[in-house]
Amino acid sequence: MTLGSVHSLETMGLVDGPGVRVVVFLQGCALRCRFCHNPDTWEADSGEQVTPQELLHRIVRCKPYFVRSGGGVTFSGGEPLLQPEFLLETLRLCREADIHTCLDTAGCGRGMYDEILRYTDLVLYDVKQVTEESYRKLTGRDWTETGRFLQAVRRAGTPVWVRHVVVPGLTDSEAHMAALRAFVSAHVPNVQKVELLPYHLLGVQKYKTMGLMYPLAGVPAMDTEQVKTWQARYFDSLDGSKSNRCKK
């Protein structure tokens, strides 16, 4: 029997893919991003143990709400690709139930990418950084694995929405925005849209509660108006970037 470790479910998500969505947060992540606001999802051996069939039952109960909006289910985390067998089986069940699926990922899993993408309608791909050195400093890992994932996305032809966190002092300059656009154009296939996400402080209390040091202590929240300006200047002109719809 295949079991997965689920951190939590959000039943009315509005920002993780098109339409209203059920967002499934899976346990486990190999990265330690300095701006991570979900440290409670890092450990793989915690969370609720469920079967794909049990998880599908919970998702289907919300189907009347998300179908009318063009929504579906988004698998997030943590890093959902660290539970490939469970994820694949759940994605297959969602396809059989005619439920639109999104994969919210940094592309750092344990393989089976081609099989998983066969049942994935949309990838929400988190670009952490645009050079290998800066990627390692931000995440604590090299980017070999995420490169493998992007190769699989290219083979599959799965539509991609790129997401990138804008952090004061790290990723908040004109030069970085130009480099990000160049990186996406060169390395990320099938891009429909790029979303810049302003860094926020909502995860600070979690670190305190868990007794962890917060890596970006003292860094203020990102100016949302500046992010909107960069969004319009660098990314809204990309082909498909103004479309909020994606095809199965």
Side-chain angles (χ1 to χ4, degrees), residues 21-242:
R21 310 195 70 80
V22 174
V23 184
V24 181
F25 295 92
L26 298 181
Q27 283 290 148
C29 187
L31 304 182
R32 293 296 181 266
C33 300
R34 297 176 66 192
F35 54 69
C36 179
H37 62 277
N38 288 325
D40 45 335
T41 66
W42 288 347
E43 299 304 323
D45 58 354
S46 58
E48 180 186 5
Q49 299 293 299
V50 300
T51 67
Q53 293 77 14
E54 289 169 338
L55 181 55
L56 178 71
H57 178 70
R58 298 183 193 183
I59 294 168
V60 167
R61 286 188 299 182
C62 301
K63 194 173 181 180
Y65 299 99
F66 61 69
V67 164
R68 288 176 292 181
S69 71
V73 59
T74 297
F75 295 93
S76 185
E79 172 52 73
L81 291 173
L82 284 179
Q83 299 187 50
E85 295 86 2
F86 175 76
L87 177 62
L88 176 58
E89 189 170 341
T90 307
L91 286 168
R92 283 174 175 162
L93 292 173
C94 288
R95 177 65 57 84
E96 292 173 3
D98 195 30
I99 296 172
H100 182 275
T101 56
C102 288
L103 184 61
D104 182 5
T105 178
C108 293
R110 295 195 294 109
M112 298 180 64
Y113 301 143
D114 292 300
E115 297 93 330
I116 287 168
L117 290 168
R118 194 171 296 128
Y119 297 95
T120 301
D121 297 313
L122 175 67
V123 171
L124 307 181
Y125 179 67
D126 187 359
V127 172
K128 299 297 185 180
Q129 263 290 9
V130 297
T131 69
E132 188 164 8
E133 180 181 2
S134 60
Y135 183 95
R136 185 184 293 275
K137 287 181 179 179
L138 182 71
T139 68
R141 297 287 294 266
D142 66 46
W143 63 10
T144 302
E145 193 61 38
T146 196
R148 292 193 185 104
F149 175 73
L150 289 178
Q151 291 172 5
V153 173
R154 189 179 301 277
R155 290 191 295 270
T158 310
V160 176
W161 290 7
V162 166
R163 309 215 284 189
H164 183 70
V165 180
V166 184
V167 183
L170 290 179
T171 57
D172 65 334
S173 68
E174 294 283 349
H176 181 81
M177 292 300 138
L180 174 61
R181 177 167 174 137
F183 177 89
V184 170
S185 298
H187 298 288
V188 185
N190 320 319
V191 176
Q192 290 189 337
K193 148 181 195 177
V194 175
E195 296 178 315
L196 297 179
L197 307 177
Y199 167 74
H200 57 69
L201 304 178
L202 298 179
V204 174
Q205 187 57 44
K206 286 185 182 180
Y207 283 78
K208 291 181 180 178
T209 301
M210 296 175 66
L212 300 173
M213 182 185 71
Y214 188 63
L216 296 182
V219 175
M222 185 63 206
D223 181 351
T224 57
E225 292 304 314
Q226 180 60 68
V227 172
K228 289 178 183 178
T229 298
W230 283 329
Q231 178 77 50
R233 182 179 302 164
Y234 288 95
F235 300 108
D236 280 357
S237 62
L238 290 177
D239 290 345
S241 65
K242 294 183 180 180

